Amino acid sequence: MKITPPELIDLESFASWTRDGVSAGQSYAKVLLHQTDLSATKAPDLRFDEAVFASSTLRQTVWQGLSLVDVRLKGCDLSNADWRQAHFHRVEFDACNLTGANFSNARMNHVRFEACKVLLASFAETKFTACSFRACNLEQTDFTGADLRNVAIECCNLRQARFFGANLKGADLRGSDLTQLGVTAHDLRGSIVEERQLFQIAHVLGVVVK
């Protein structure tokens, strides 16, 4: 699976963020937000095209219906953000804190999560296309009803994560901790795991591994 990275052309021409906040329904393009604090702002239907968020604080933001196209977020704090029904296309989250964030009913295309803290977050009913999670802490994260076909969730902590009703066909879970995974045997059908992981999900499959 090839994930297309954000197309960030001529970064030196990006304007540094100078605004105090954001406005509902507005679009922003070619902007650089470095150590910007937008915490607790409420602005539905925002759109960012070609943007970089670096070490910025976005916690408790209520940005429902957010659209991100060609965006990179590095070292940002999105804890308890409410970004339900978002649409992401060619987006990277690198070493971000997404604890308690709500991305339910979102659409994610060519999105990569790398070394992120994603505890207690929600991706319920979210559709993923050409996406990956790598070296992320996804403990107790909710993927109920999500479409995760062919998504790579590699070397992640998935302890007590919930996948009830999710489509995991072709999803690559190798290298991840599947201890106490909330899932049924039907949900796991078609997913890719390693032999050693069978011990962690044996109770789900109804088998005894000796």
Side-chain angles (χ1 to χ4, degrees):
M1 177 187 61
K2 183 178 180 181
I3 301 176
T4 305
E7 295 182 2
L8 299 170
I9 302 171
D10 194 14
L11 279 172
E12 293 183 356
S13 70
F14 282 29
S16 295
W17 189 265
T18 57
R19 302 171 180 83
D20 293 330
V22 288
S23 300
Q26 292 298 304
S27 297
Y28 306 98
K30 291 187 177 295
V31 291
L32 171 62
L33 294 86
H34 178 64
Q35 296 183 344
T36 304
D37 188 353
L38 293 171
S39 57
T41 53
K42 297 182 179 181
D45 301 321
L46 287 176
R47 181 182 176 98
F48 286 90
D49 291 276
E50 288 190 78
V52 175
F53 293 76
S55 303
S56 292
T57 304
L58 308 170
R59 60 175 177 264
Q60 296 182 323
T61 47
V62 181
W63 293 359
Q64 297 175 10
L66 171 68
S67 177
L68 298 181
V69 179
D70 294 317
V71 173
R72 179 179 297 138
L73 299 98
K74 183 176 178 63
C76 294
D77 182 0
L78 284 76
S79 55
N80 297 310
D82 183 353
W83 290 10
R84 286 175 286 171
Q85 299 177 328
H87 175 212
F88 299 162
H89 184 60
R90 294 194 297 266
V91 176
E92 293 179 346
F93 292 86
D94 189 358
C96 292
N97 180 9
L98 311 175
T99 300
N102 190 344
F103 298 100
S104 59
N105 290 289
R107 296 294 177 267
M108 300 197 177
N109 304 294
H110 294 273
V111 179
R112 182 180 65 87
F113 297 84
E114 184 82 18
C116 290
K117 186 178 180 181
V118 203
L119 288 84
L120 297 164
S122 177
F123 295 92
E125 304 294 338
T126 290
K127 179 177 175 58
F128 295 86
T129 304
C131 297
S132 71
F133 294 84
R134 181 169 178 80
C136 293
N137 189 346
L138 293 158
E139 188 169 351
Q140 297 186 61
T141 288
D142 186 7
F143 290 96
T144 299
D147 186 345
L148 292 151
R149 285 176 290 179
N150 302 311
V151 170
I153 309 180
E154 300 175 313
C155 302
C156 293
N157 176 7
L158 285 169
R159 293 175 66 91
Q160 299 182 57
R162 299 184 298 281
F163 290 89
F164 295 113
N167 189 335
L168 289 162
K169 185 176 181 180
D172 192 342
L173 307 178
R174 289 177 292 181
S176 294
D177 185 350
L178 308 183
T179 304
Q180 294 182 295
L181 199 67
V183 70
T184 68
H186 182 270
D187 299 327
L188 283 171
R189 186 175 299 174
S191 61
I192 303 168
V193 299
E194 298 171 311
E195 182 178 354
R196 68 173 186 84
Q197 292 172 304
L198 292 176
F199 291 92
Q200 298 172 338
I201 59 174
H203 66 290
V204 175
L205 302 176
V207 300
V208 178
V209 182
K210 293 185 177 181

